[in-house]
Amino acid sequence: MTIIFIEAVLFLAFLAVVGAFVLAAFRSTDLGMQLRQRANRRRLDRAADLTCPVHGPQREEELVRLATGEPLCPHCYQDAIHGHLP
């Protein structure tokens, strides 16, 4: 019974080592670099979408989505509704 548990633990350790080697090999390839760059680009685009040029960074749940689909800062939205220009 003990040998079965030891064999299971060794098999799981073997799978972990193989997974680590595959991940390390994937990170060093051009495809891995392209995927990381795409993720970084998405993260930066998202941060830029959440930043108002007048009022600075805003939280996503505070933004007002216009009928065109464009997000707008709540302060800018209130200024537009009340007729004040920044």
Side-chain angles (χ1 to χ4, degrees), residues 49-53 55 58-66 68-81:
D49 287 342
L50 296 176
T51 303
C52 174
H55 300 104
Q58 303 291 322
R59 293 191 349 228
E60 185 174 10
E61 56 270 1
E62 291 178 349
L63 294 177
V64 177
R65 181 116 1 226
L66 300 176
T68 60
E70 182 182 354
L72 188 64
C73 163
H75 304 292
C76 292
Y77 181 76
Q78 286 179 350
D79 291 344
I81 293 295

Side-chain angles (χ1 to χ4, degrees), residues 8-75:
V9 168
L10 289 176
F11 180 72
L12 291 176
F14 172 73
L15 287 179
V17 168
V18 169
F21 280 134
V22 168
L23 186 63
F26 183 72
R27 285 186 175 177
S28 64
T29 62
D30 289 336
L31 178 63
M33 183 184 306
Q34 289 175 358
L35 290 176
R36 283 192 310 273
Q37 288 175 348
R38 186 178 304 152
N40 288 339
R41 190 175 308 115
R42 270 191 243 120
R43 183 179 50 84
L44 291 173
D45 287 343
R46 184 174 172 88
D49 287 342
L50 296 176
T51 303
C52 174
V54 177
H55 300 104
Q58 303 291 322
R59 293 191 349 228
E60 185 174 10
E61 56 270 1
E62 291 178 349
L63 294 177
V64 177
R65 181 116 1 226
L66 300 176
T68 60
E70 182 182 354
L72 188 64
C73 163
H75 304 292

